[in-house]
Amino acid sequence: MNKTKPLTVRVSRYDPATDDAPRYETYTVDANEGARVLHVLHAIHDDLDPSLSYRYCCGSGQCGSCAVRVNGEPALACMKEAEDGMTVEPLNLPVIKDLTVDLAPLLDRLAAPATAADAQLPTKEEIEAIKPLRDCIECLSCVSECPAIKVAEFLGPTHMRQEMRIALDPRCTDDRIEKAIEEGLFTCTTCQRCVQVCPKEIRTPGKAIEKLREIANRKGLTLPRHVEVANLVRDTGRSVVRTEATFLEQVPEVIEPDAPVRGEVGFFVGCMYNGRVPQNALDMIEVMKRNGIRVIVPHDQVCCGSPLIRTGQTWVLEALKKKNIAAFESRGIATVMTMCAGCGSTLKNDYDTPFEVKDVSEILTEYGIEPPAKLDLRATYHDPCHLLRGQGISAQPRELLRMAVKEFVEMPNQCCGAGGGVRSGLPEEAAALGKLRDEEIRKTGAEIVVTICPFCEFHISENTDRPVKNICSVLLEGYREKDRRKGH
Amino acid sequence: MHADDVVRCHVLVIGSGGAGARAAVEAAAYGETVMISKTLIGKGGCTTMAEGGYNAVLRELDGCPMHVEDTLRGGAFLNDTALVDALVTEAPARMADLVRWGAVFDVTDDGQVAQRPFGGQRFPRTCYAGDRTGHEMMMTLAERLRASPVEHLQEMTVIELLRDGDRVSGAVALDRRGEMVVICADATVLATGGGTQVYDISTNSAAGTGDGYALGYRAGAELVDMEMVQFHPTGAVYPYDARGRLITEAVRGEGGILVNAAGERFMHRYDPDRMELSTRDVVARAIATEVLEGRGTVHGGVYLDVTHLSPETIEERLPIMLEQFLQFGVDIRTQPMEVAPTAHHLMGGLRITPEATTTIPGLFACGEVTGGVHGANRLGGNALADTQVFGKRAGESAGRAPVRAHSVDIAQVDAQYDRLDAFFEGTAPPSTITDRLKLAMWRDAGIFRTGAGLRSLAATLTELSAEKPKASGPANLLECCTVENMLVLSSLIVSGALLRRESRGAHVRTDLETAWPPEASPFGHTYQSIRGKGIEGVRP
Ligand SMILES: Cc1cc2nc3c(=O)[nH]c(=O)nc-3n(C[C@H](O)[C@H](O)[C@H](O)COP(=O)(O)OP(=O)(O)OC[C@H]3O[C@@H](n4cnc5c(N)ncnc54)[C@H](O)[C@@H]3O)c2cc1C
Ligand code: SF4
Ligand code: SF4
Ligand code: FES
C-alpha cells in the first residue's frame, strides 16, 4: 500500500568549528510516497550519515524549528514535500552545524510585554485585531531573508510583528514605540519578502510595520524627510517637486492610437513618472499607440498615497483616494493601467476601486503586441518588489523583454533599497542595498538592466554603471530599430 | 570535570513546555532559577502542539463539582481525588494568570473567555485560542520568561538526575555537541512531558521520548499507572511519514462526524448518547473496531467529515487543520479527512502529592510526566490545565525548598562518563533499536492488549535492551541515552499492563473478563519503582 521511491538530494554540510566553508553532499534515499523534506533528512541521518545536524520537533508545522532553504527558498522541512534533485541548505542565518542555525539569540530579542497586575480581558475586537500577528511560529524565515538586516541595524520583521502585537494589546502598559524605532522600524523597505517566505503568511509590513509607523507619526516621531514628503502631498497633491514639464502637462486627456483601436485603458501615472522621469511614460504612450490601445489620462489625478502609507502618514490618504477614484470613475473607465509598481500595488491592495487595476506589463501581454526588433544586447531584469510580491507579476515583464533583446539573463531577486521611504529617509541604507544589486548585475554580465518601476529605475541607476531602462523604453527602441532596419 | 562546568542554582527546572515554563516563572520569585530543556522554548515538547483547549470552570451554569465528576468518570475513577480537586479548583485562576500576562485567547461577544464543547464533558468548558491554544500558552509563557531573571539552558538534555544520599540534588546534561554539563540545585522540578514516541504511531513531538519517566525511575521515584496510555481516536493516516499526526478533538467538538468506508455514521453502535463526543477511549476503540472488522478505508482509517459546516466556520475555528490538510492535498471544506487512532498521552507517571512533591526528596514534578491526575483516561483540555495548575504548584514547592550546601559526587559524574564512553563501543545504530521498539509496542501494548502479547513484548524489550546503541560521534551520544530511556519507559508500560488484570479506561485486556464497572473496581493504582512493583487494592 505504501510506495517508496528513490530520491537524490544535495545537502549543505558545514561545521564552523572545523570547516572553512560549507560543502554539498549528495545522498540517495528511499522515500515513502508523500514524504516531506524532514523525512528525507531523517533517512539520511538514520541510514547514511548520523553526523547530519538539523532541527525539528513537532513534525506538523507548529513549532517553527525546522525551517531550511529548499532550492533556495525558505520552507518548513516538516511540511514541504520532498522532491527528487532538491537542494537543502540552512536558512541565511549563522550556522551552528549543517542545517541547524542559531535561533536563540534572535528569539531572545523578541520584545517581552509588560502587563498591568490588574490587566483585564480585552474585548473581542481587540483580540481579533491581535490574532493575525499571533500565528507566528518564530521560524525566523522572514529574518533570514530580510534585505534591510543585511545593511542596516534592524532586528527583523518578526520583531516588528511582536512590537505591533504589544502595541495592539490594551493589557500592555509600556509605550514601546521609541524602542521599535531603535530596533529599526524605519529601515524596512516594505519589499514584502518576509511575507513571501512566511509559512503562516503573516503580513508583517502592512499589518505591523506600517501600523507602527502610524503610531510613530502620531507621536511626532516620523523621519523629517518623510514629513516633508507628506507636507508636499498635502500642498501639491504630488510627492515630488515639479522641476520640468510634467507628463500630464505634455499629453492630452485622450491619446488615440496610430493603429486601429483594439482596446482602451485609463492611465494612472503616479508622481515619479509625472514629475521626475516623464520620458519613460511618454515612451509607454508610443508603445500603446503602435499597438492600438487608446489611453485616457484624467488630468485631475493625484498621488496614490503610497509614500504616505509606507511611512505611516495616513492622515491625508482618504482625500487622495476619493479624488483618484472619482477621476477614473467619472470618465467611465473600466481598466486602469499603472506603470509604477508602487502605485499599482497601492491601488490593488490599499484601495477599494470600482474599476480593475492592471500593470502595463499585464496590459501589453494580454492584448499581445507587435514584435519589436531584437536589440543586440544582453539584458537582465530587476523584479520591483511591489510588482513581484505586491502584485504577483513576474512572467509578463520577462515575456516582453525576451521579445525585445537578443539575450536575457536572470539574476537573483532582492529589493534595491528604494522602497518604504528608505531612499529618502535613510539614504545610506538605500545606497548599500543598491550596491548589492550592482554586484548581482555585474555577475550577470548584462549590458542593460530592465525594470518597471520608476523608484527602482532611478535608484539602481545611481548605484550601477549599466544603463537602467524601463521595459516600455526598451520596446520603443526595438520598434525604432525595426523601422530603421526596414529602411523607413 | 572542571569545577567551572558546574551550574549552581536554587531551583532547576527540567523542561520548558507548559508545565516547566510555568514552574520556572513561579520558582523565580524564590531564588535563582535555571530552566534546562532539550529544545528551544516554544519549539519543543507537546504543549506547543496542543490545539484544542484548556478546561476551566468559568461560567455560572458550570460548576467545579461537575468538572470533578466529568474528570473522574472520564478517568474511570482511577484518578487521585486530591489531585483532581486541585486541578479543577485552580484551573480558572491559572487561566486568569495567562490572560493577565497577555495570552490571546478567543473571547465571546459579551467579553468572556470563549469556551467550546469537548468530549466527555457535560458543559462546554474548553477555553481556546483558535486551534493553536497550546502555542498561545507557550508564547505567553515565553514572553513572561524573557522578562524574568530565569536562566535558560536551551538545547541541553538531562541524561541523569544527581543524588545526594536519597535526595535529588541536580542533574547531568549533554549539550548539542555531546559535552557534559553538571547542574546542582536545592530543588529539581521534572517537567519533561510525555513519551508516546515509543509507539509506531504517535501524536507526540520528537521530544516525547519519555526521558522524565526513566530519569525519575532510575533516581528511585515511584511511578503509577504506567499502563494507562491514551490513544487519540483521530490521527492522520496519510502521508505515511506523517501518520499519527493529531487531528484535534476540536474537529468533533465543532460538529465533525465519523463515517466508515460503507458510509455509515457508526458511533451510534458504541455510544448512542454522546456519539462523536464520547470519551477518547470509547471513540478510539470504536474506530479500531470498524477498521479491524473490515469497514475501514484503504489507508486503514475511517472518515472524519466537516463538509456540512460552512467554509467560514472551518476557516475561523479550524485554521490549522485546514492549512495542514491543504498541504497534504485535502481540502477539508469539501473533502473528508481519513483518521485512525494514534498514541497520544501517558496518564501514568511520577506519583505526586497536590504540592507536586514526588516520592523522593528534592524532586518535584508537574505536567504529563506525573501520574494520578487523569486516572485511566484523560479528558481533552485537562492536560493544558494540568500544566498550569501543577506547574505553579511545583515551582512554588521547589522555590520554598531549603537552601543547601551543594557538593557534586564525582563518582556519579564518572559513572555518566563511563556510560557515554560505552556508546562509542556500541554496535546498533539507535534508530534500528527504536524502529523495532515502536512496532512491537504498537502491536502488543496498543489499544487492545492480552497477557500473552504483553509477555512476548516484555521478552522483546529484554532483547532490545541487550543491544548496545552505537554513537558514531559525540553529537550522537544523546540519541543513545534516548534509546535507553525509551526502553525503560516501554518496560514500565508493559509491566503496568501486566499488573492490571482488568479493562479500565484506556487499558483494555481482551483476554480478561472485567466483571465490574470502573467505579466498583477492586483495584487502585499500579505502582513501580526500583524497589518493587504492584497494584493497589485486593484481588477479588
Ligand atoms: C498534538 C497534541 C495535541 C494536544 N492537544 C491538547 C489539548 O488541546 N488540550 C490539552 O489539554 N492537552 C492537549 N495535549 C496534551 C498536552 O499538550 C500535554 O500533555 C502537555 O502539554 C504536556 O506539557 P508538559 O509541559 O508536561 O510537557 P511538554 O510540553 O511536552 O514539554 C516537555 C519539555 O521537556 C523537555 N524535555 C524532555 N526531555 C528532556 C530532557 N531529558 N532534558 C531536558 N529537557 C527535556 C522538552 O524539550 C520540552 O521542553 C495535546 C498533546 C499533543 C501531542
Ligand atoms: S518588507 Fe522587506 S525590508 Fe521590510 S521587514 Fe519585510 S523583508 Fe524586511
Ligand atoms: S513571521 Fe512568519 S516567517 Fe517570520 S518568524 Fe513568524 S512564522 Fe516565521
Ligand atoms: S518540526 Fe515543528 S514546524 Fe517543522
Side-chain angles (χ1 to χ4, degrees):
Chain A
M1 194 175 62
N2 180 57
K3 292 190 262 332
T4 67
K5 59 177 182 215
L7 292 186
T8 301
V9 303
R10 234 162 46 110
V11 180
S12 169
R13 302 296 309 269
Y14 180 42
D15 185 347
T18 54
D19 307 340
D20 293 335
R23 62 178 197 286
Y24 292 97
E25 295 276 353
T26 302
Y27 304 94
T28 302
V29 297
D30 263 332
N32 293 308
E33 198 189 342
R36 306 290 125 174
V37 173
L38 179 62
H39 306 126
V40 169
L41 299 177
H42 286 334
I44 296 171
H45 174 271
D46 289 354
D47 303 335
L48 301 173
D49 188 349
S51 70
L52 177 68
S53 172
Y54 55 106
R55 189 187 275 118
Y56 65 100
C57 200
C58 72
S60 52
Q62 291 167 287
C63 73
S65 300
C66 67
V68 290
R69 278 180 303 147
V70 180
N71 297 331
E73 282 295 293
L76 296 178
C78 67
M79 297 307 282
K80 172 95 182 161
E81 188 157 2
E83 286 167 27
D84 192 31
M86 68 183 176
T87 299
V88 186
E89 296 161 294
L91 291 182
N92 282 315
L93 292 174
V95 171
I96 292 175
K97 184 165 185 296
D98 302 331
L99 303 174
T100 307
V101 293
D102 204 4
L103 299 179
L106 293 160
L107 294 172
D108 283 346
R109 300 199 63 186
L110 283 160
T115 56
D118 59 348
Q120 296 299 306
L121 187 66
T123 64
K124 187 171 181 177
E125 288 67 39
E126 288 162 339
I127 290 284
E128 294 303 321
I130 305 169
K131 267 165 82 176
L133 297 175
R134 207 54 177 166
D135 288 335
C136 170
I137 55 173
E138 297 172 358
C139 67
L140 302 191
S141 295
C142 57
V143 175
S144 74
E145 291 290 313
C146 171
I149 294 177
K150 294 185 190 168
V151 296
E153 292 289 318
F154 181 36
L155 275 188
T158 196
H159 298 81
M160 294 297 110
R161 176 205 52 75
Q162 176 70 358
E163 289 293 357
M164 189 62 202
R165 165 261 177 287
I166 293 174
L168 281 171
D169 197 322
R171 291 167 294 189
C172 301
T173 46
D174 47 349
D175 176 359
R176 294 185 50 94
I177 194 67
E178 292 187 41
K179 262 251 139 359
I181 294 173
E182 262 170 48
E183 290 170 352
L185 176 61
F186 289 115
T187 66
C188 161
T189 65
T190 69
C191 74
Q192 312 287 325
R193 177 68 178 150
C194 50
V195 183
Q196 186 185 28
V197 301
C198 176
K200 296 285 156 182
E201 294 167 25
I202 298 174
R203 312 198 64 82
T204 296
K207 292 266 187 281
I209 292 172
E210 289 166 14
K211 296 287 181 284
L212 285 165
R213 290 177 179 180
E214 279 181 38
I215 298 174
N217 185 247
R218 288 200 290 276
K219 299 226 148 83
L221 296 169
T222 298
L223 295 180
R225 284 285 293 120
H226 294 168
V227 176
E228 283 171 31
V229 173
N231 290 339
L232 193 62
V233 174
R234 180 195 57 203
D235 299 339
T236 67
R238 286 294 172 193
S239 62
V240 303
V241 194
R242 184 188 180 287
T243 49
E244 52 180 315
T246 66
F247 174 81
L248 290 175
E249 285 165 11
Q250 297 182 52
V251 297
E253 281 232 350
V254 180
I255 303 161
E256 289 295 342
D258 303 334
V261 180
R262 295 196 296 144
E264 174 186 293
V265 294
F267 179 42
F268 186 90
V269 59
C271 300
M272 284 292 282
Y273 284 128
N274 186 50
R276 190 67 53 86
V277 280
Q279 188 53 50
N280 295 349
L282 293 167
D283 290 352
M284 177 277 293
I285 295 292
E286 291 307 312
V287 173
M288 292 293 160
K289 275 169 134 176
R290 184 150 181 151
N291 283 289
I293 300 165
R294 176 187 292 131
V295 182
I296 303 172
V297 191
H299 279 193
D300 47 349
Q301 55 179 295
V302 290
C303 173
C304 71
S306 169
L308 309 179
I309 303 175
R310 309 299 152 235
T311 57
Q313 311 181 86
T314 44
W315 44 272
V316 264
L317 190 65
E318 281 315 307
L320 299 177
K321 280 188 181 177
K322 241 199 184 135
K323 212 162 175 189
N324 284 324
I325 291 175
F328 288 90
E329 199 181 16
S330 64
R331 288 166 176 85
I333 293 166
T335 305
V336 171
M337 179 181 74
T338 52
M339 190 178 164
C340 169
C343 300
S345 167
T346 301
L347 293 187
K348 283 177 179 176
N349 303 319
D350 298 292
Y351 275 54
D352 198 3
T353 55
F355 40 77
E356 209 177 359
V357 180
K358 286 187 175 169
D359 181 67
V360 62
S361 64
E362 290 178 279
I363 298 286
L364 291 176
T365 49
E366 276 169 28
Y367 280 109
I369 58 166
E370 177 199 333
K374 283 199 180 198
L375 301 174
D376 190 15
L377 285 173
R378 171 191 275 228
T380 188
Y381 175 70
H382 166 78
D383 281 293
C385 298
H386 291 284
L387 197 59
L388 177 68
R389 288 176 289 270
Q391 303 178 55
I393 293 175
S394 65
Q396 296 89 330
R398 288 173 169 77
E399 184 185 328
L400 295 170
L401 186 54
R402 283 204 173 89
M403 297 171 81
V405 294
K406 202 147 150 209
E407 197 185 348
F408 167 63
V409 275
E410 290 281 6
M411 65 174 171
N413 145 265
Q414 184 173 298
C415 176
C416 71
V422 169
R423 189 183 145 80
S424 61
L426 302 170
E428 279 169 22
E429 179 194 341
L433 285 169
K435 285 283 166 244
L436 292 180
R437 280 287 70 186
D438 183 42
E439 283 171 23
E440 292 298 338
I441 293 166
R442 279 165 195 282
K443 282 188 213 160
T444 65
E447 291 149 282
I448 61 163
V449 184
V450 179
T451 186
I452 326 184
C453 169
F455 294 95
C456 300
E457 287 162 27
F458 204 81
H459 186 63
I460 298 176
S461 53
E462 276 185 356
N463 290 288
T464 184
D465 56 3
R466 306 304 138 92
V468 183
K469 296 195 173 165
N470 183 280
I471 184 79
C472 294
S473 308
V474 176
L475 289 174
L476 184 60
E477 266 180 57
Y479 288 136
R480 291 195 173 132
E481 176 65 21
K482 189 174 179 181
D483 295 345
R484 229 184 337 269
R485 285 184 199 167
K486 271 194 196 154
H488 274 254
Chain B
M1 176 86 255
H2 313 288
D4 37 316
D5 287 340
V6 179
V7 177
R8 293 167 199 278
C9 58
H10 178 49
V11 175
L12 170 66
V13 178
I14 307 172
S16 63
R22 186 64 184 82
V25 166
E26 203 63 27
Y30 296 89
E32 200 181 335
T33 300
V34 170
M35 179 170 71
I36 184 168
S37 65
K38 202 170 177 168
T39 50
L40 299 174
I41 187 164
K43 302 214 175 298
C46 295
T47 308
T48 304
M49 303 170 70
E51 295 161 350
Y54 176 117
N55 293 341
V57 173
L58 301 178
R59 304 283 198 273
E60 288 275 313
L61 289 174
D62 197 2
C64 287
M66 206 202 305
H67 188 185
V68 167
E69 211 184 297
D70 286 345
T71 302
L72 293 175
R73 190 174 297 277
F77 302 94
L78 187 60
N79 328 54
D80 274 340
T81 49
L83 297 179
V84 175
D85 282 339
L87 172 78
V88 167
T89 43
E90 280 178 22
R94 298 293 77 80
M95 183 67 194
D97 290 345
L98 290 169
V99 166
R100 201 153 40 81
W101 296 340
V104 186
F105 275 82
D106 278 67
V107 167
T108 59
D109 290 325
D110 61 345
Q112 305 190 59
V113 174
Q115 292 179 305
R116 59 163 59 120
F118 244 39
Q121 302 190 60
R122 286 167 294 164
F123 192 87
R125 66 169 74 88
T126 305
C127 314
Y128 58 92
D131 57 2
R132 41 168 294 276
T133 311
H135 180 246
E136 179 55 42
M137 289 170 58
M138 279 320 306
M139 285 188 104
T140 305
L141 291 165
E143 283 170 345
R144 195 81 196 161
L145 282 168
R146 279 204 296 275
S148 82
V150 172
E151 189 189 340
H152 193 182
L153 306 176
Q154 308 202 71
E155 297 191 317
M156 283 197 200
T157 307
V158 171
I159 57 165
E160 200 71 322
L161 296 176
L162 280 175
R163 278 151 298 123
D164 180 1
D166 63 348
R167 308 181 49 82
V168 167
S169 57
V172 180
L174 290 183
D175 71 10
R176 224 187 276 108
R177 290 191 169 268
E179 299 283 335
M180 201 185 279
V181 178
V182 172
I183 308 120
C184 292
D186 302 324
T188 300
V189 177
L190 198 57
T192 45
T196 66
Q197 278 292 345
V198 297
Y199 286 91
D200 183 44
I201 302 174
S202 160
T203 60
N204 276 197
S205 76
T209 50
D211 294 3
Y213 307 96
L215 294 172
Y217 180 77
R218 288 197 295 260
E222 185 174 78
L223 293 91
V224 296
D225 302 333
M226 290 306 293
E227 67 283 8
M228 293 302 175
V229 180
Q230 179 170 80
F231 293 87
H232 196 289
T234 58
V237 298
Y238 181 87
Y240 180 78
D241 288 314
R243 67 193 182 285
R245 185 173 51 84
L246 182 71
I247 314 302
T248 171
E249 183 165 326
V251 175
R252 282 173 293 131
E254 296 293 346
I257 57 168
L258 288 164
V259 179
N260 63 23
E264 178 203 9
R265 189 171 172 190
F266 55 83
M267 277 309 296
H268 69 92
R269 283 190 271 112
Y270 302 90
D271 188 342
D273 294 333
R274 295 182 295 183
M275 295 292 285
E276 280 83 3
L277 286 180
S278 184
T279 46
R280 289 181 176 170
D281 51 341
V282 174
V283 183
R285 283 196 290 275
I287 296 174
T289 305
E290 290 297 305
V291 175
L292 280 176
E293 292 179 358
R295 292 185 293 277
T297 65
V298 274
H299 290 117
V302 298
Y303 295 114
L304 174 60
D305 195 349
V306 289
T307 54
H308 55 286
L309 302 179
S310 75
E312 295 77 44
T313 309
I314 295 170
E315 285 152 21
E316 191 195 329
R317 301 290 185 81
L318 305 166
I320 292 191
M321 282 296 111
L322 175 61
E323 177 193 311
Q324 284 185 0
F325 271 91
L326 278 176
Q327 300 232 21
F328 295 123
V330 175
D331 184 345
I332 67 171
R333 291 168 294 198
T334 53
Q335 294 166 283
M337 296 163 252
E338 255 181 276
V339 298
T342 168
H344 184 49
H345 189 92
L346 299 184
M347 276 73 71
L350 273 76
R351 191 195 281 270
I352 54 162
T353 64
E355 285 66 47
T357 58
T358 67
T359 55
I360 30 176
L363 184 67
F364 303 82
C366 51
E368 192 166 335
V369 75
T370 68
V373 180
H374 307 289
N377 176 45
R378 171 175 72 80
L379 293 185
N382 268 358
L384 288 183
D386 172 349
T387 63
Q388 299 307 288
V389 169
F390 292 99
K392 174 174 192 283
R393 284 171 166 249
E396 200 171 316
S397 298
R400 291 212 165 112
V403 174
R404 310 184 148 257
H406 296 156
S407 69
V408 181
D409 176 3
I410 296 298
Q412 290 180 43
V413 177
D414 284 345
Q416 289 310 308
Y417 277 118
D418 293 344
R419 174 188 180 198
L420 298 178
D421 282 343
F423 293 138
F424 290 123
E425 311 298 314
T427 47
S431 64
T432 59
I433 305 178
T434 49
D435 286 353
R436 283 161 64 199
L437 170 70
K438 284 165 176 248
L439 286 170
M441 286 294 286
W442 184 255
R443 190 179 58 236
D444 286 321
I447 302 183
F448 300 111
R449 303 163 172 180
T450 65
L454 289 165
R455 276 186 294 274
S456 100
L457 175 55
T460 308
L461 294 180
T462 311
E463 256 170 53
L464 290 173
S465 306
E467 302 245 351
K468 296 190 166 35
K470 169 184 159 64
S472 342
N476 301 97
L477 290 169
L478 190 54
E479 293 158 41
C480 300
C481 295
T482 306
V483 172
E484 291 187 341
N485 292 338
M486 290 171 82
L487 285 162
V488 171
L489 168 59
S490 301
S491 301
L492 291 167
I493 293 172
V494 173
S495 36
L498 282 164
L499 285 169
R500 185 169 299 283
R501 298 182 53 79
E502 65 171 344
S503 291
R504 191 165 177 186
H507 173 69
V508 178
R509 285 281 299 262
T510 53
D511 59 334
L512 298 173
E513 276 299 327
T514 303
W516 47 79
E519 57 270 41
S521 168
F523 298 120
H525 299 300
T526 60
Y527 55 88
Q528 306 183 57
S529 77
I530 38 181
R531 280 172 303 281
K533 60 188 176 185
I535 185 163
E536 293 168 356
V538 239
R539 243 162 224 259

